[in-house]
Amino acid sequence: MSNTPMAASPLTRAVLEIDEYVSGLGWDRPARLFALVDTARLRTQEPGLASQLGLDDGVEHAGYTPIEQEEIPAGKPLDEFLGTIAWPDAVTGCALTVERLMLPPSAEASVPDGLSESQLAKWVAEHPDRQEVRMTVAVLRDGARESALRLREKDSATEVLTGSDLVPGLAEALAATFA
């Protein structure tokens, strides 16, 4: 973990760690899925894996270790893909990063009526006030949630917005993978 604030909750630190990792890969990337495992438990139960992840350095690592999963199948709607996931008991939570276009609330009033989903996507993509955003959302089995939002135009670790209810729909979808 590098620039994440130590005063933050363990879940916030995990979300910021994932955001920082994905940020290093650049923009225009597909969604990425991560399992979150209890770091202390990982060190005890899977010392080989903990060593591969650099967690055997003698430093006490509290919180959650994100483990990136296989690539999400291209062309499959995200909600359908999430509906196929079942996590083993060792997974404490999960996180997803996804890039989307976002409009300010003031643009809602100008959305033309009767647009299909593809027409709406095209309209948003051509809107002059659109913003590209990367969302990282994490949920735990116990219901805890955290999110990080990074705007492409303010692509800096100091400009990342965090909060537990920034992307409630995606958090609900991720929580459903534990049901």
Side-chain angles (χ1 to χ4, degrees):
M1 202 158 35
S2 53
N3 295 323
T4 58
M6 292 312 293
S9 76
L11 186 56
T12 302
R13 287 195 305 270
V15 165
L16 290 172
E17 182 179 349
I18 292 167
D19 171 76
E20 185 175 322
Y21 163 73
V22 174
S23 174
L25 301 173
W27 286 86
D28 304 319
R29 300 289 182 162
R32 300 181 107 76
L33 181 66
F34 298 82
L36 298 177
V37 296
D38 180 276
T39 303
R41 187 172 160 190
L42 176 67
R43 288 178 74 182
T44 302
Q45 295 179 352
E46 299 286 342
L49 179 57
S51 177
Q52 284 180 317
L53 297 173
L55 301 174
D56 63 347
D57 54 10
V59 176
E60 186 59 34
H61 296 274
Y64 306 103
T65 298
I67 300 173
E68 188 169 6
Q69 303 301 291
E70 291 183 27
E71 195 170 293
I72 296 173
K76 186 166 192 167
L78 194 55
D79 57 342
E80 285 180 25
F81 171 74
L82 292 175
T84 67
I85 294 175
W87 297 104
D89 292 339
V91 174
T92 307
C94 65
L96 181 81
T97 62
V98 63
E99 295 177 15
R100 293 291 185 255
L101 292 177
M102 182 176 78
L103 291 176
S106 60
E108 286 183 32
S110 63
V111 176
D113 290 330
L115 294 180
S116 69
E117 193 171 316
S118 63
Q119 290 171 322
L120 179 60
K122 184 177 186 221
W123 183 83
V124 170
E126 294 172 351
H127 196 283
D129 295 331
R130 72 187 177 282
Q131 294 276 331
E132 290 179 77
V133 63
R134 181 182 302 119
M135 302 174 279
T136 303
V137 179
V139 299
L140 299 180
R141 283 186 189 271
D142 69 8
R145 299 169 179 204
E146 189 60 69
S147 305
L149 298 180
R150 181 185 290 248
L151 294 175
R152 190 170 190 160
E153 76 172 21
K154 295 182 179 186
D155 193 2
S156 163
T158 60
E159 296 288 337
V160 176
L161 177 66
T162 60
S164 62
D165 201 28
L166 297 177
V167 192
L170 187 50
E172 286 293 325
L174 289 173
T177 66
F178 291 104

